Amino acid sequence: MKFKESMKTLNAIEIIVRKRDQVELSTEQIYWFIQEYTNGHIPDYQAAAWLMAVQLNGMTRRETVDLTMAMVESGDRINLSGIVPFAVDKHSTGGVGDKTSLVVLPIVAACGVPVAKMSGRSLGHTGGTIDKLESFRGFQVELSPERFKQLAKENHLVIASQTSNIAPADKSLYALRDVTATVPSIPLIASSIMSKKLAGGADAIVLDVKVGEGAFTRTIDEARTLAQTMVDIGVDAGKAVTAVLADMTQPLGTTAGNAIEVHEAIDTMRGEGPSDFLEHCIVIAAHMLELVPNTDYYHNFEAAKQAARQSIDDGSALSKFRQLVHAQGGDPNQVDNPYLLPQARIQDTIAASQAGYVTRIDARQIGRAVVDLGGGREKKGEMIDHAVGVETLVKIGDHVDAGDLLFRLHANDENRMAMALGWIEQHVITISPSPTESLPQFYGTIKGHPA
Ligand code: URA
């Protein structure tokens, strides 16, 4: 009550001035600003000025945690206690061909740890799990809170789209950041991501922080700062958090699109997928498992890795995935035979015009090509074509001969196919006479535990 009364004396201009002049904001000022913006009492133009001041002057650790928690408290908080014994969540900062959740979540559930996850859709050059799952006929991504909890309890695996009232302040601020050049700010990105994870009811979180051309953070230093900021927020909020820095210079695995990524995820769960993608999934799943108390994996990364690998070898991860698809209204025959997933009408390939070494593949430009083919969206709410996409058949460091296939494109429209072929030929790949090293998959891990 006391807090609320003193909040009445605050005003938006003063808070913008303080941030502009590099004066640290108090907890009360941050909570008030976020609350008043969410209620519609602070207009977008004042929020935009404040965001730009944050973009230019940054935030302290305390301010960033306050901003995160103010955004958490702007809406509903999912309470999974009593539904799952311990809720471990994962989040990827976004990439091209990043179908990790489709494999990691069934692995974790097959290892006996329930997963109840809310995921997002594709935006810009990056893909989204929810769109990928909608490649299955009839798959329901919008679940009532009761159904979400029931599936978590009964099947130990549920993936749904985020409800509108999870961190609504973040939703409005993110839309404003998108049009005011204030997306690439470490405290704003970190608080945006962590507010959704914390409101989603996570007890522990694994962050798959992407580094490289296809990611938000293009350098290892930037990615490390973002990862550390998110770990600090989680720890200050009382959660164990592990952040893995993972390469996103080139696409993960082979495919980028929707149905073709689902197909590759199924192949991977059958033990027939690309080795880099399988290794990525095993590592992320093991980091999730080792955070869960009262299990054989707790603080035992090697045991967790072994169990994750076993769930692929014995088919239990694939069975969990099939159960997920069936339970959410999808057609499990498409899991048994992924060629029943949407197929594009036209396929075309790009071959190497000369022999040499692949020295550059630009994941961001592949993501752009997928959007141009109709497989992604520029604006929220746009329809997408689940069948289209791009397969990248080589990796940086590979040697190729003239005529070797580099890319296979899937399209439903001749003009879009022609444009995407031209774009990829011009912007995506460099083949040079001198060799180059292949890229590491991981650049480090940052762990944080609450005291
Ligand atoms: N993803 C988010 O959810 N928020 C950001 O600010 C950036 C990426």
Side-chain angles (χ1 to χ4, degrees):
M1 193 60 194
K2 204 167 164 211
F3 184 66
K4 281 212 169 127
E5 272 170 14
S6 66
M7 289 211 302
K8 283 188 191 146
T9 61
L10 295 170
N11 85 71
I13 298 175
E14 191 184 306
I15 292 172
I16 299 166
V17 165
R18 280 176 82 90
K19 200 25 73 191
R20 182 198 66 192
D21 294 346
Q22 303 183 7
V23 181
E24 191 176 9
L25 297 174
S26 68
T27 300
E28 193 183 22
Q29 285 166 330
I30 292 174
Y31 271 74
W32 179 84
F33 195 89
I34 295 303
Q35 195 178 82
E36 292 298 282
Y37 176 64
T38 313
N39 292 341
H41 300 150
I42 292 178
D44 273 353
Y45 52 81
Q46 284 187 315
W50 182 77
L51 287 169
M52 186 54 83
V54 172
Q55 166 84 37
L56 297 175
N57 294 328
M59 279 188 146
T60 63
R61 175 168 174 167
R62 204 221 77 243
E63 285 179 305
T64 310
V65 173
D66 286 340
L67 173 59
T68 309
M69 296 316 293
M71 293 200 291
V72 169
E73 287 176 24
S74 69
D76 298 338
R77 289 182 87 154
I78 306 268
N79 184 358
L80 292 169
S81 61
I83 311 289
V84 298
F86 187 87
V88 59
D89 201 355
K90 78 162 272 281
H91 179 82
S92 159
T93 58
V96 177
D98 185 8
K99 60 216 86 103
T100 309
S101 288
L102 299 179
V103 176
V104 163
L105 305 182
I107 290 178
V108 173
C111 290
V113 171
V115 188
K117 179 160 174 59
M118 293 196 174
S119 285
R121 293 186 180 277
S122 82
L123 193 60
H125 73 281
T126 63
T129 302
I130 289 299
D131 289 319
K132 291 170 202 182
L133 284 171
E134 282 182 340
S135 301
F136 289 103
R137 264 191 298 272
F139 194 97
Q140 295 296 312
V141 295
E142 272 160 34
L143 301 179
S144 67
E146 294 71 34
R147 181 77 179 137
F148 184 76
K149 288 179 181 178
Q150 185 195 14
L151 288 176
K153 200 166 184 159
E154 288 175 3
N155 290 357
H156 293 177
L157 180 58
V158 56
I159 307 177
S161 62
Q162 197 169 287
T163 58
S164 57
N165 210 31
I166 293 286
D170 171 64
K171 201 171 181 188
S172 310
L173 283 173
Y174 192 81
L176 191 57
R177 285 166 58 206
D178 213 18
V179 292
T180 56
T182 52
V183 169
S185 146
I186 297 280
L188 294 180
I189 296 174
S191 56
S192 164
I193 291 173
M194 290 302 284
S195 65
K196 287 173 284 209
K197 295 291 104 185
L198 295 172
D203 294 312
I205 302 159
V206 173
L207 299 163
D208 185 359
V209 181
K210 305 294 191 187
V211 188
E213 281 308 310
F216 262 112
T217 39
R218 299 198 189 183
T219 66
I220 296 173
D221 281 351
E222 258 184 307
R224 193 170 287 124
T225 308
L226 175 62
Q228 186 68 59
T229 307
M230 292 192 286
V231 169
D232 291 346
I233 293 171
V235 168
D236 289 358
K239 314 290 175 190
V241 185
T242 299
V244 178
L245 306 186
D247 186 68
M248 187 40 72
T249 309
Q250 55 193 344
L252 189 55
T254 306
T255 54
N258 292 282
I260 61 171
E261 288 195 40
V262 173
H263 194 148
E264 187 168 48
I266 293 169
D267 285 348
T268 303
M269 286 183 274
R270 283 184 175 154
E272 296 161 7
S275 57
D276 68 323
F277 177 54
L278 175 62
E279 179 61 17
H280 184 84
C281 293
I282 299 278
V283 167
I284 299 294
H287 279 301
M288 289 176 76
L289 290 169
E290 70 156 356
L291 292 178
V292 183
N294 305 317
T295 65
D296 294 345
Y297 326 114
Y298 192 45
H299 290 175
N300 189 342
F301 185 66
E302 282 314 311
K305 251 181 120 172
Q306 221 174 346
R309 216 171 275 284
Q310 177 69 23
S311 76
I312 297 290
D313 295 344
D314 65 15
S316 55
L318 183 61
S319 299
K320 265 284 153 211
F321 184 71
R322 192 181 192 282
Q323 186 186 36
L324 166 94
V325 171
H326 187 48
Q328 293 190 222
D331 181 354
N333 293 318
Q334 293 176 298
V335 179
D336 303 335
N337 178 6
Y339 288 98
L340 297 175
L341 288 162
Q343 301 284 322
R345 203 166 47 78
I346 319 164
Q347 282 192 14
D348 209 338
T349 53
I350 298 174
S353 56
Q354 70 202 61
Y357 294 89
V358 179
T359 53
R360 185 185 67 95
I361 295 175
D362 189 329
R364 181 173 294 260
Q365 302 309 334
I366 293 173
R368 295 252 46 98
V370 173
V371 174
D372 290 346
L373 286 167
R377 53 176 75 78
E378 291 291 357
K379 291 199 191 110
K380 280 188 180 164
E382 282 175 356
M383 296 285 285
I384 61 164
D385 182 341
H386 290 89
V388 302
V390 176
E391 288 176 75
T392 305
L393 306 170
V394 288
K395 293 277 176 198
I396 292 174
D398 285 356
H399 179 268
V400 292
D401 289 318
D404 282 355
L405 289 189
L406 305 174
F407 301 97
R408 182 177 297 110
L409 278 67
H410 303 248
N412 274 324
D413 175 294
E414 279 78 4
N415 290 335
R416 285 180 185 241
M417 172 63 97
M419 269 171 48
L421 284 168
W423 180 265
I424 289 181
E425 269 168 343
Q426 268 184 28
H427 297 285
V428 170
I429 192 161
T430 306
I431 295 178
S432 310
S434 350
T436 190
E437 296 281 312
S438 55
L439 291 177
Q441 271 188 261
F442 299 106
Y443 298 101
T445 305
I446 300 172
K447 293 184 178 194
H449 287 275

